Amino acid sequence: TGSNQLRACGVGVRAAAPGVVVAGNRFIGPPAGPPFGTGVEVSAPSVIVGGIAENSFEQLVTGVRVVASTGPVTGTTIDRNTFTGIDGPCVELGAGTNTATVTNNSFSSCGPAVVVGRATDDHPASERNTIRANSFANLAGLAIDIGGDGRRNPPDSVPANGGIAFPTVQRATASAIEGLACPGCSVELYLAAHTPGGRSDYGMVRLGQSVTA
């Protein structure tokens, strides 16, 4: 699909066939009233949302939702899209989805930006996903919410994505940062958005290139 404007739909595009590309579209909620609907719902392997041409998602409840129905959904790519004014998650990787790549997106005024789903009665937790090189602004929730519970899960209780926890900063100076991360993990540093006493601090803009622990 491409070059379409889809306004106030329950679901703008259902990507239910393998290899579908959804690019160059504008998904927008109603002109007045609260956010409504989902921009793209993915339920098949190897779907690309964005990539060759940016999609914009505005005034929706959910931007992109990846869901498993009868079996796992693998290899979703969500790349180079713009999300703004999303009431819930900008991107939701539901239970039973695996190996998604969420890169180079701009997330602004979302609830959480990216939710990685925990296990349900029907499907295992979402695993082996890559989320990197995105930018974040004015979030009401976490930039990356593992488990969809709004918590910064400590290392012994991460409910999805292989149990990989956030890195721990042990020492920071003007020229270097030292800390702990899982062996072989890629770590990105971001300029932080911080509200004193707030619970939803998050990284806004990536600083330099990623490093490997």
Side-chain angles (χ1 to χ4, degrees):
T1 65
S3 302
N4 300 295
Q5 178 170 296
L6 298 101
R7 181 184 289 273
C9 302
V11 177
V13 170
R14 297 184 189 272
V20 166
V21 177
V22 183
N25 303 285
R26 185 184 185 198
F27 301 90
I28 186 168
F36 176 78
T38 295
V40 176
E41 183 177 275
V42 177
S43 59
S46 304
V47 169
I48 298 174
V49 181
I52 58 173
E54 173 187 293
N55 297 292
S56 67
F57 299 87
E58 309 162 44
Q59 294 299 114
L60 303 168
V61 174
T62 305
V64 178
R65 185 168 180 252
V66 186
V67 296
S69 52
T70 58
V73 176
T74 59
T76 305
T77 298
I78 303 168
D79 179 59
R80 302 183 190 279
N81 301 286
T82 299
F83 299 82
T84 185
I86 308 299
D87 193 53
C90 283
V91 171
E92 181 181 357
L93 305 176
T97 68
N98 296 292
T99 60
T101 300
V102 183
T103 53
N104 302 303
N105 299 285
S106 173
F107 298 109
S108 177
S109 301
C110 308
V114 181
V115 169
V116 182
R118 65 177 63 232
T120 66
D121 291 342
D122 298 319
H123 300 289
S126 182
E127 303 287 3
R128 302 189 305 280
N129 305 294
T130 299
I131 305 165
R132 61 186 304 178
N134 301 290
S135 64
F136 309 92
N138 302 318
L139 301 182
L142 300 175
I144 302 172
D145 188 345
I146 305 296
D149 55 8
R151 297 177 59 239
R152 293 178 178 82
N153 305 99
D156 59 349
S157 64
V158 180
N161 222 35
I164 298 174
F166 52 81
T168 301
V169 176
Q170 296 179 311
R171 180 173 179 267
T173 68
S175 59
I177 295 177
E178 298 177 2
L180 296 175
C182 55
C185 283
S186 178
V187 178
E188 294 181 332
L189 300 178
Y190 281 75
L191 177 67
H194 172 66
T195 301
R199 299 180 58 193
S200 59
D201 294 355
Y202 54 87
M204 294 189 299
V205 179
R206 188 171 62 150
L207 303 174
Q209 300 299 311
S210 60
V211 296
T212 302

